[in-house]
Amino acid sequence: MGDARELIMLVDDSLANLLVGKEALAHAYRVITVPSASKMFELLKRYKPDLILLDVNMPDMNGYEAIEILKDHPDTKDIPVIFLTSMSDTIFELQGLDLGAIDYISKPFSARLLKKRVETHIMVEKQRKKLQNYNENLQGMVTEKAQTILKLQNKVLQAMAELMEGRDALTGNHIERTQIYLEVLLSTMIEAGVYQEETKEWDIDLLLQSAQLHDVGKIAIQDSILKKPGKLTATEVEEMKKHVIYGVDFIEKLEEDEEDSLFLQYAKIFAYYHHERWNGSGYPNGLSGTEIPLLGRLMAIVDVYEALISERCYKPAFDHQTAVNIISKGKGTDFDPVLVDLFEQCSEKLQLSSSLNIEKEK
């Protein structure tokens, strides 16, 4: 029998990097080491790798030139590409993402980091292929099959969330917890009949899944800022704020193929507006009051609540009641006063959800 393991193509002009990379991955994957982009294209005539690790700085043809050719050819355009780069500037990182790379790994890389990034992206790709296969056969499927697809989609999102949080170890399971608290606040709002005109057409299941992408833009923030153990400088704060813009850019690229996706429409609102504040003091646009979409106003509350009750390197975790008091003080300034009233009403449910989640994580 042939080797059924996934095939990784590692392209780098450095023999040392090829040896380190192969040693890190060979126990779990089939690995082909390639010294140049031109040699890679020769081998792609015979092999279809599951993932390409592509060095940016190579003689003759660099990684940016190579990925443009890969994405322009029907036989290779869907192969996931991770850039290997010694450049740490966000502009270069975004250039790679714009060209179609799914991630980047800084050099010199550690064997453990390389293994984890590859493992995560292989898992995402497996789920993407499964989801794609289901989508191709959607016509005629019964509701039960449609629900199966939603579950698969959620697994893909969870994998993306793990990837994001793997880069930002300081925030732990922020995405999952925020989603749980949002569901509690949403349920309370709907039961109270508040903002009915805006919520009557909402697809709550899709909405809650899409909330997992509210911080997706952090994937474009440099590690030196994202993982900084101390207080950020003013310049670093401004760069961190750009994660809302990066998040929207990422989601809009997905919308190019799925223009009518309600899921992505929800995700874009969460990503772009969850740092706006009721009195206009937020970002990125300084919107105020009901200029801020309702989904953004909801996420603003649960996002801050989760941050308050969680430990960070720069602060201890506040207890539930202290967090509630802080948010209550922000009524009419930071937060929608109507939603703050609802938040206070469901605070016991939030505390219970928080306690159950903490137990689950232990």
Side-chain angles (χ1 to χ4, degrees):
M1 292 180 61
D3 193 338
R5 297 179 301 168
E6 290 83 6
L7 177 63
I8 310 297
M9 190 170 282
L10 175 56
V11 186
D12 198 309
D13 63 318
S14 166
L15 178 60
N17 286 337
L18 292 177
L19 291 173
V20 171
K22 184 166 186 176
E23 184 176 353
L25 300 172
H27 71 289
Y29 309 100
R30 291 177 292 146
V31 181
I32 298 176
T33 56
V34 188
S36 67
S38 58
K39 183 65 175 177
M40 174 188 71
F41 287 114
E42 289 181 23
L43 291 171
L44 285 172
K45 296 175 183 177
R46 289 188 289 152
Y47 300 99
K48 180 71 178 289
D50 296 281
L51 180 71
I52 295 176
L53 297 170
L54 182 60
D55 185 23
V56 171
N57 292 316
M58 294 184 291
D60 301 325
M61 182 186 299
N62 64 39
Y64 297 140
E65 295 167 327
I67 196 173
E68 286 187 299
I69 297 173
L70 286 169
K71 296 304 177 183
D72 195 45
H73 197 284
D75 291 338
T76 57
K77 66 183 180 67
D78 293 326
I79 301 175
V81 176
I82 297 177
F83 272 136
L84 306 175
T85 177
S86 57
M87 297 181 291
S88 60
D89 194 307
T90 300
I91 294 176
F92 292 112
E93 294 162 8
L94 285 174
Q95 182 180 354
L97 295 172
D98 286 340
L99 290 171
I102 57 173
D103 201 357
Y104 67 91
I105 298 175
S106 298
K107 295 195 300 182
F109 49 75
S110 72
R112 289 180 61 190
L113 175 62
L114 180 66
K115 177 183 174 184
K116 187 62 180 175
R117 288 281 180 86
V118 168
E119 179 184 312
T120 299
H121 282 294
I122 287 291
M123 179 174 61
V124 170
E125 182 62 13
K126 282 182 177 179
Q127 296 296 341
R128 185 193 69 79
K129 288 179 179 177
K130 287 182 181 179
L131 184 59
Q132 183 178 5
N133 289 336
Y134 271 106
N135 283 335
E136 289 172 354
N137 296 286
L138 263 178
Q139 189 172 6
M141 281 188 175
V142 295
T143 303
E144 182 180 354
K145 285 290 184 181
Q147 289 300 318
T148 301
I149 292 170
L150 288 176
K151 289 178 182 178
L152 273 173
Q153 186 180 56
N154 201 35
K155 287 181 180 179
V156 174
L157 285 172
Q158 288 171 356
M160 291 181 67
E162 288 175 8
L163 178 63
M164 287 183 282
E165 292 186 332
R167 292 194 66 226
D168 187 5
L170 302 179
T171 60
N173 295 314
H174 167 77
I175 292 173
E176 180 181 356
R177 291 194 294 260
T178 302
Q179 185 185 26
I180 292 170
Y181 305 146
L182 177 64
E183 184 173 10
V184 173
L185 184 55
L186 262 174
S187 298
T188 303
M189 183 182 72
I190 291 170
E191 289 171 8
V194 175
Y195 292 125
Q196 284 183 316
E197 280 301 308
E198 295 185 61
T199 62
K200 64 182 180 181
E201 301 297 332
W202 283 2
D203 184 323
I204 301 301
D205 289 336
L206 274 182
L207 186 154
L208 289 171
Q209 287 184 43
S210 71
Q212 295 178 82
L213 293 179
H214 75 276
D215 270 341
V216 69
K218 285 186 177 179
I219 200 169
I221 301 297
Q222 296 180 55
D223 285 354
S224 60
I225 296 176
L226 198 63
K227 298 181 179 181
K228 186 174 181 177
K231 185 177 180 180
L232 299 180
T233 65
T235 301
E236 290 169 338
V237 168
E238 290 306 309
E239 178 60 26
M240 179 65 85
K241 286 181 179 180
K242 292 178 183 176
H243 79 273
V244 298
I245 307 296
Y246 299 149
V248 170
D249 289 344
F250 176 84
I251 295 167
E252 285 182 342
K253 289 186 183 303
L254 298 179
E255 282 186 316
E256 291 175 3
D257 296 322
E258 299 290 341
E259 293 180 0
D260 297 323
S261 172
L262 184 60
F263 170 84
L264 294 176
Q265 291 174 32
Y266 289 145
K268 189 159 60 172
I269 294 171
F270 280 130
Y272 195 55
Y273 295 102
H274 70 284
H275 284 292
E276 297 286 2
R277 293 297 177 256
W278 186 258
N279 64 0
S281 62
Y283 64 88
N285 292 321
L287 302 180
S288 62
T290 56
E291 291 178 335
I292 307 167
L294 180 54
L295 290 180
R297 281 142 48 204
L298 284 160
M299 180 58 76
I301 292 177
V302 297
D303 189 53
V304 170
Y305 172 71
E306 194 285 325
L308 288 170
I309 63 173
S310 300
E311 184 178 354
R312 297 287 187 265
C313 63
Y314 51 84
K315 76 165 192 66
F318 294 121
D319 62 75
H320 166 76
Q321 192 54 53
T322 299
V324 171
N325 292 342
I326 291 172
I327 289 175
S328 296
K329 288 180 181 177
K331 177 179 177 179
T333 53
D334 288 336
F335 310 114
D336 181 338
V338 174
L339 296 183
V340 171
D341 288 341
L342 294 171
F343 174 82
E344 292 170 347
Q345 289 176 31
C346 67
S347 65
E348 290 185 7
K349 290 182 181 179
L350 287 166
Q351 185 175 24
L352 178 60
S353 298
S354 174
S355 300
L356 290 173
N357 200 56
I358 290 172
E359 288 298 317
K360 176 181 153 186
E361 292 172 10
K362 286 182 179 178

